[in-house]
């Protein structure tokens, strides 16, 4: 798809599958930002948004990428929004929390799920050891390799005010015989849904969550849902 130079509120709502109130909140948010204040013009009762306004919902590098990548990102956003309509879903519940990174650890050896679970516990313990004063949280799942015929790998959502390079270094030190990948977490990736896609079929061995403030996190999400 090709982007237009400007969009009405209705057009953005249809493009991204989000409600007009969400768009209005973002519009209000950027009103006092000198760098963004000219992104929106009002004519009569209608608002017209420059295509740059879409970066409030879509990463700029995706917005300026090829049509195929843009279509995929829009699909991810709509999937994420649809999932939020079911607050009783575990992935939806956890999506209301802040997350910093999405990581994958692909082990060279064919490890058992028990070993992978132990690795995730050791990873969180190492994070706490190195950064005892920071608020930290990890959610992980353990999945089998589909094409390799044996062994498992881990997907991780991580929260913490740490640099990407720091997380990459910690993973490489913890798991030197693995391919470790770190990228910024975006809600539109629907990372929670990916990590927990089979959570109701798993026992505690295959997924888990560790954090320094889990009780407070839970209270925060409940307050958000009560106000929704």
């Amino acid at each position: 798809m090709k982007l237009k130079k400007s969009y009405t509120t209705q057009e953005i709502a249809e493009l991204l599958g989000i409600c007009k109130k969400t768009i209005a909140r973002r519009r209000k948010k950027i009103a006092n930002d000198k760098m963004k204040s000219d992104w929106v013009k009002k004519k009569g009762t209608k608002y017209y948004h420059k295509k740059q306004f879409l970066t409030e919902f879509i990463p700029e590098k995706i917005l300026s990428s090829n049509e195929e990548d843009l279509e995929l990102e829009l699909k991810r956003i709509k999937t994420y929004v649809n999932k939020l309509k079911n607050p009783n879903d575990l992935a939806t519940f956890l999506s209301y929390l802040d997350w910093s990174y999405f990581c994958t650890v692909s082990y060279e050896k064919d490890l058992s799920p028990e070993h992978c679970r132990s690795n995730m516990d050791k990873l969180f313990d190492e994070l706490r050891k190195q950064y005892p004063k920071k608020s930290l949280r990890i959610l992980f799942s353990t999945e089998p390799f589909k094409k390799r015929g044996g062994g498992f790998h881990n997907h991780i959502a991580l929260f913490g005010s740490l640099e990407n390079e720091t997380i990459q270094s910690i993973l490489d030190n913890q798991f030197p015989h693995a391919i470790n990948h770190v990228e910024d977490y975006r809600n539109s990736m629907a990372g929670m849904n990916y990590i927990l896609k089979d959570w109701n079929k798993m026992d505690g061995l295959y997924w888990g969550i560790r954090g320094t403030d889990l009780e407070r996190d839970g209270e925060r999400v409940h307050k958000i849902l009560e106000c929704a």
Side-chain angles (χ1 to χ4, degrees), residues 78-200:
K78 290 180 179 179
T79 298
Y80 172 67
V81 171
N82 287 334
K83 285 288 185 180
L84 290 182
K85 294 177 182 179
N86 180 12
N88 294 318
D89 180 78
L90 178 61
T92 299
F93 186 88
L94 293 174
S95 292
Y96 285 101
L97 295 175
D98 294 324
W99 299 96
S100 308
Y101 300 104
F102 183 89
C103 315
T104 301
V105 179
S106 300
Y107 305 101
E108 181 181 301
K109 296 182 179 180
D110 291 345
L111 303 183
S112 67
E114 291 88 352
H115 196 155
C116 293
R117 170 63 191 245
S118 177
N119 280 349
M120 293 299 97
D121 286 333
K122 289 177 181 177
L123 171 63
F124 184 74
D125 291 342
E126 181 63 25
L127 287 167
R128 290 199 66 182
K129 178 181 176 181
Q130 291 194 33
Y131 303 97
K133 295 183 179 180
K134 287 187 178 292
S135 178
L136 300 164
R137 186 190 328 113
I138 68 169
L139 170 75
F140 63 87
S141 67
T142 301
E143 297 182 9
F145 288 107
K146 292 183 178 179
K147 297 181 179 180
R148 206 163 84 176
F152 292 79
H153 61 284
N154 286 116
H155 292 298
I156 309 162
L158 187 150
F159 169 74
S161 56
L162 301 169
E163 295 295 327
N164 183 304
E165 294 79 6
T166 300
I167 300 301
Q168 185 70 58
S169 178
I170 291 174
L171 289 178
D172 289 342
N173 287 331
Q174 286 289 111
F175 315 117
H177 302 294
I179 298 174
N180 305 303
H181 178 73
V182 181
E183 62 181 296
D184 292 342
Y185 187 92
R186 303 194 312 274
N187 281 331
S188 61
M189 292 170 57
M192 290 297 104
N193 303 101
Y194 186 78
I195 292 174
L196 295 170
K197 56 183 177 289
D198 295 320
W199 76 271
N200 57 341

Side-chain angles (χ1 to χ4, degrees), residues 19-120:
C19 70
K20 293 180 181 180
K21 288 184 178 180
T22 298
I23 299 169
R25 285 196 293 268
R26 291 299 179 96
R27 192 165 55 228
K28 184 178 179 180
K29 176 184 174 184
I30 70 169
N32 297 320
D33 188 330
K34 293 181 180 179
M35 300 292 291
K36 301 178 180 180
S37 58
D38 68 337
W39 287 4
V40 181
K41 300 293 183 183
K42 187 176 183 182
K43 294 181 181 180
T45 59
K46 284 189 175 183
Y47 287 95
Y48 292 86
H49 312 76
K50 288 185 177 180
K51 66 179 181 181
Q52 289 91 332
F53 181 79
L54 297 177
T55 60
E56 290 294 302
F57 306 97
I58 304 172
E60 188 171 357
K61 65 179 181 180
I62 296 293
L63 200 62
S64 59
S65 63
N66 60 59
E67 292 183 18
E68 185 177 344
D69 287 343
L70 181 56
E71 289 279 8
L72 178 61
E73 186 68 12
L74 292 174
K75 184 178 180 180
R76 284 172 171 170
I77 290 174
K78 290 180 179 179
T79 298
Y80 172 67
V81 171
N82 287 334
K83 285 288 185 180
L84 290 182
K85 294 177 182 179
N86 180 12
N88 294 318
D89 180 78
L90 178 61
T92 299
F93 186 88
L94 293 174
S95 292
Y96 285 101
L97 295 175
D98 294 324
W99 299 96
S100 308
Y101 300 104
F102 183 89
C103 315
T104 301
V105 179
S106 300
Y107 305 101
E108 181 181 301
K109 296 182 179 180
D110 291 345
L111 303 183
S112 67
E114 291 88 352
H115 196 155
C116 293
R117 170 63 191 245
S118 177
N119 280 349
M120 293 299 97

